[in-house]
Amino acid sequence: MPESVGFRPDEIDTAAPTRSARLKWVIVVDAALAPGIAVNAAACVAAATQAHVSGLLGSAAVDADGGEHPGLPWAGCSVLAATAEQLVGIRAKAESSEGVFVSDMPVAAQQTRVYDEYLATVAATASPDLLLAAVSVVGPRNRVDRIVGRLPLL
């Protein structure tokens, strides 16, 4: 994982189309998962990504009544579908790409109810044998496009 991936303050342009952003964010989910499990996996890798990649969220929106709505990803985030095998390959390609952040959710995270049990399960599993529910990738647009190819939207 690179030391720092994110948007510099001078790159954040919430008035520009999302395609003009230097970085692209995609979340790729195992298409075979049940809808609730898939949404959970996407939400979890999104939370991990937001915590590590600067500048993803725009400012809060304020409605006509003065109610505040927390900021959302100003540069967008596509949620794509892949096979379990493709997820492993996407993770490997993303990890070996310079300037790309990757977070993943091993299937073990959804099979345990105690976080320490999840950690122990992952620790006992070799990386190539780790089954994944979802992978989040942020990086330069051209690199991310090469990593995910032409996967369909979930």
Side-chain angles (χ1 to χ4, degrees):
M1 176 174 11
E3 287 205 17
S4 178
V5 172
F7 291 100
R8 296 182 313 271
D10 64 315
E11 291 182 303
I12 298 172
D13 184 358
T14 58
T18 58
R19 289 184 186 262
S20 67
R22 177 180 59 86
L23 300 177
K24 181 174 184 173
W25 182 13
V26 299
I27 295 174
V28 187
V29 179
D30 184 341
L33 295 177
I37 301 295
V39 170
N40 173 266
C44 289
V45 296
T49 300
Q50 192 279 323
H52 288 89
V53 178
S54 62
L56 282 179
L57 301 183
S59 58
V62 179
D63 64 33
D65 297 321
E68 189 170 303
H69 306 269
L72 297 172
W74 66 273
C77 177
S78 298
V79 181
L80 309 173
T83 66
E85 296 79 24
Q86 287 173 312
L87 282 172
V88 172
I90 289 165
R91 179 180 182 264
K93 286 179 190 175
E95 284 188 326
S96 67
S97 295
E98 186 178 338
V100 174
F101 172 84
V102 60
S103 67
D104 60 45
M105 182 172 187
V107 169
Q110 294 176 322
Q111 295 174 336
T112 59
R113 296 286 179 249
V114 177
Y115 197 77
D116 284 351
E117 290 175 12
Y118 158 69
L119 295 176
T121 300
V122 171
T125 308
S127 191
D129 299 326
L130 206 55
L131 300 175
L132 303 174
V135 176
S136 175
V137 180
V138 179
R141 189 167 291 284
N142 60 346
R143 286 189 202 133
V144 172
D145 286 341
R146 281 195 303 270
I147 291 167
V148 299
R150 295 187 169 267
L151 293 173
L153 289 173
L154 181 66

